[in-house]
Amino acid sequence: MLRPWQLSDAKAVMQAFEDPEIQRWHVRRFTSVDEARQWITGYQAGWAQEAELNWALVDHASDSLMGRMSLKGVNLNDGSAGMAYWMVPAWRGRGLCSQAVLTLCQWAFREGGFHRISLGHSVANVASCRVAIKAGFHEEGTRREAALHADGWHDMHRHAVLAHEVPDAQVV
């Protein structure tokens, strides 16, 4: 289930960022639960500014954190945004991230009026590439040394999907 971030998610966010795979692809670190709460507060403010739309991906039964889904760099004038996501280790490898990305795209195109959603991932991040392709994103090229990760600058694959390319599958 996708739901708005809550301040009560701070401890789970801090734990997620202790994962070596999340650390590998993100420069961001949290040294306290208060710092994670500030991150959540920033995500909540993104909605009010119509600049970033962020969700916690949670298990419907337990409300435990599974991951993050985000439309960032929102431009309502041209109907574009960038997709970002991560999953906590316990929920990886089940196809849930691709399913959540597809569900979010269906909502963005059909309810939000978006035209184009893009995403970028390190060329070394094979799992993220699989998520993008399974969710229907098309590769558009490689941007050289376009993002700083924990181990230095990475070339980034660029993918995008257009509104008319997303299947009318049932939103889950």
Side-chain angles (χ1 to χ4, degrees):
M1 175 175 76
L2 292 170
R3 68 152 169 77
W5 285 99
Q6 301 169 357
L7 291 178
S8 58
D9 294 323
K11 184 175 180 182
V13 167
M14 192 170 156
Q15 290 171 343
F17 274 83
E18 291 172 356
D19 172 57
E21 284 300 303
I22 290 178
Q23 287 180 3
R24 182 175 182 197
W25 308 119
H26 298 85
V27 175
R28 178 80 176 151
R29 300 288 181 273
F30 297 105
T31 58
S32 70
V33 172
D34 284 338
E35 195 175 334
R37 281 190 194 108
Q38 290 173 4
W39 180 81
I40 291 168
T41 300
Y43 269 12
Q44 293 168 334
W47 278 90
Q49 299 163 358
E50 296 180 334
E52 266 189 54
L53 311 176
N54 297 284
W55 293 265
L57 177 60
V58 298
D59 178 57
H60 192 279
S62 68
D63 201 46
S64 62
L65 183 64
M66 298 166 62
R68 164 205 177 208
M69 295 289 141
S70 179
L71 291 175
K72 56 187 191 166
V74 171
N75 184 329
L76 296 177
N77 293 321
D78 69 6
S80 65
M83 175 72 69
Y85 47 82
W86 49 254
M87 295 291 285
V88 299
W91 293 97
R92 291 182 191 144
R94 303 179 195 191
L96 297 170
C97 191
S98 298
Q99 186 177 6
V101 168
L102 178 58
T103 299
L104 182 50
C105 286
Q106 290 170 333
W107 172 84
F109 292 136
R110 288 172 181 75
E111 304 298 323
F114 284 81
H115 170 72
R116 174 186 168 87
I117 299 175
S118 62
L119 68 84
H121 65 80
S122 169
V123 296
N125 191 339
V126 176
S128 189
C129 192
R130 273 195 312 269
V131 167
I133 291 168
K134 282 177 65 177
F137 283 70
H138 301 276
E139 189 173 332
E140 296 186 323
T142 302
R143 295 174 51 225
R144 297 177 309 127
E145 295 187 12
L148 181 61
H149 291 292
D151 62 351
W153 290 98
H154 282 235
D155 291 351
M156 300 293 285
H157 276 164
R158 199 79 192 145
H159 298 258
V161 65
L162 304 176
H164 68 273
E165 296 173 331
V166 172
D168 287 327
Q170 180 180 358
V171 176
V172 289

